[in-house]
Amino acid sequence: MKQGLIVFMNGTSSSGKTSISMELKNQKEIPFHHLSIDNFFGNYNDFIDKQFPNIEPTREVDHVGQILFDPINSVFHATIKLFSEMGLNVIIDTVIDNDKRFNDYLDALFDHPTLFVGVLCSKEELIRREQIRGDRQIGLANSQFDKVYSFNEYDLEVNTEELSPTECAERILCFIKSDQDYSVFKKLSKREASVS
């Protein structure tokens, strides 16, 4: 059995990755499973809230993200690899906003079939979407923009200002069914790991 395809969508918060993922997941031609880093952190936060509802820290911790992110991200990577090894097609919904994160994904997924998709959107539209959503910190997408879109090579790009989520998903499906080569991710090199 061959490895499952990994559709790796790179775009800022509010760029439309999850909406496209849902369209891909709901279509009937090619089965997909959706894995989002938000779910991994959300489930962890739910676990802490339920298991320790009255927790009262006795001191402040400045580097909570550093303590938690790397291990949770490692589990996320391992789950993606496991699904692919089981022959399951996976959609990755995440944000590559620093070089270390990119290098970690490159290490984890280098030997797996990975379609690298750029999910593009302008800063102005991202700001508008954040304000409408109300569940994201205003300015988050803008703070991610330059690093996330520092990649200039994808197997496929979709612009969510020009295309609906359904149309973006159709473009991705057409690309997969065309048997075009998707090898950009394998050709990318590790980056100077300056975490920002």
Side-chain angles (χ1 to χ4, degrees), residues 45-128:
N45 290 335
D46 289 345
F47 162 75
I48 292 295
D49 291 344
K50 286 177 185 169
Q51 294 297 315
F52 307 99
N54 301 317
I55 195 167
E56 292 287 338
T58 59
R59 64 180 226 159
E60 194 169 315
V61 180
D62 293 332
H63 50 284
V64 173
Q66 184 181 357
I67 293 170
L68 288 178
F69 191 85
D70 287 344
I72 292 175
N73 214 26
S74 293
V75 172
F76 184 55
H77 295 159
T79 304
I80 295 163
K81 287 176 69 168
L82 176 63
F83 275 48
S84 178
E85 287 297 327
M86 292 190 301
L88 303 172
N89 300 317
V90 183
I91 306 159
I92 302 175
D93 180 348
T94 191
V95 176
I96 306 175
D97 60 355
N98 67 56
D99 295 333
K100 180 189 182 310
R101 202 160 295 155
F102 169 73
N103 291 342
D104 289 346
Y105 279 110
L106 196 62
D107 285 342
L109 306 178
F110 184 78
D111 59 350
H112 290 74
T114 304
L115 173 62
F116 198 36
V117 179
V119 180
L120 310 179
C121 190
S122 72
K123 285 185 180 183
E124 295 75 22
E125 177 63 12
L126 291 168
I127 291 167
R128 188 188 73 78

Side-chain angles (χ1 to χ4, degrees), residues 18-196:
T18 303
S19 297
I20 297 168
S21 297
M22 292 302 100
E23 292 293 332
L24 278 172
K25 187 178 169 195
N26 292 332
Q27 55 77 39
K28 304 296 182 203
E29 290 184 71
I30 301 173
F32 280 104
H33 300 274
H34 175 237
L35 294 175
S36 170
I37 192 66
D38 289 347
N39 295 131
F40 279 66
F41 276 100
N43 289 336
Y44 179 80
N45 290 335
D46 289 345
F47 162 75
I48 292 295
D49 291 344
K50 286 177 185 169
Q51 294 297 315
F52 307 99
N54 301 317
I55 195 167
E56 292 287 338
T58 59
R59 64 180 226 159
E60 194 169 315
V61 180
D62 293 332
H63 50 284
V64 173
Q66 184 181 357
I67 293 170
L68 288 178
F69 191 85
D70 287 344
I72 292 175
N73 214 26
S74 293
V75 172
F76 184 55
H77 295 159
T79 304
I80 295 163
K81 287 176 69 168
L82 176 63
F83 275 48
S84 178
E85 287 297 327
M86 292 190 301
L88 303 172
N89 300 317
V90 183
I91 306 159
I92 302 175
D93 180 348
T94 191
V95 176
I96 306 175
D97 60 355
N98 67 56
D99 295 333
K100 180 189 182 310
R101 202 160 295 155
F102 169 73
N103 291 342
D104 289 346
Y105 279 110
L106 196 62
D107 285 342
L109 306 178
F110 184 78
D111 59 350
H112 290 74
T114 304
L115 173 62
F116 198 36
V117 179
V119 180
L120 310 179
C121 190
S122 72
K123 285 185 180 183
E124 295 75 22
E125 177 63 12
L126 291 168
I127 291 167
R128 188 188 73 78
R129 290 179 186 178
E130 281 179 337
Q131 290 169 342
I132 291 171
R133 284 179 71 158
D135 65 348
R136 291 291 187 271
Q137 176 186 346
I138 301 298
L140 176 62
N142 189 45
S143 71
Q144 298 169 340
F145 193 89
D146 290 338
K147 188 52 107 174
V148 170
Y149 296 124
S150 66
F151 296 93
N152 57 9
E153 192 172 2
Y154 292 100
D155 293 302
L156 178 66
E157 292 181 348
V158 291
N159 187 318
T160 61
E161 284 180 270
E162 298 171 0
L163 302 172
S164 70
T166 303
E167 291 169 325
C168 290
E170 286 170 359
R171 286 236 175 134
I172 294 168
L173 283 172
C174 285
F175 188 93
I176 294 167
K177 291 189 295 185
S178 73
D179 289 329
Q180 291 181 63
D181 185 36
Y182 37 88
S183 58
V184 165
F185 198 72
K186 291 183 182 353
K187 293 176 186 173
L188 295 172
S189 301
K190 282 194 173 184
R191 295 182 157 211
E192 191 82 27
S194 55
V195 178
S196 56

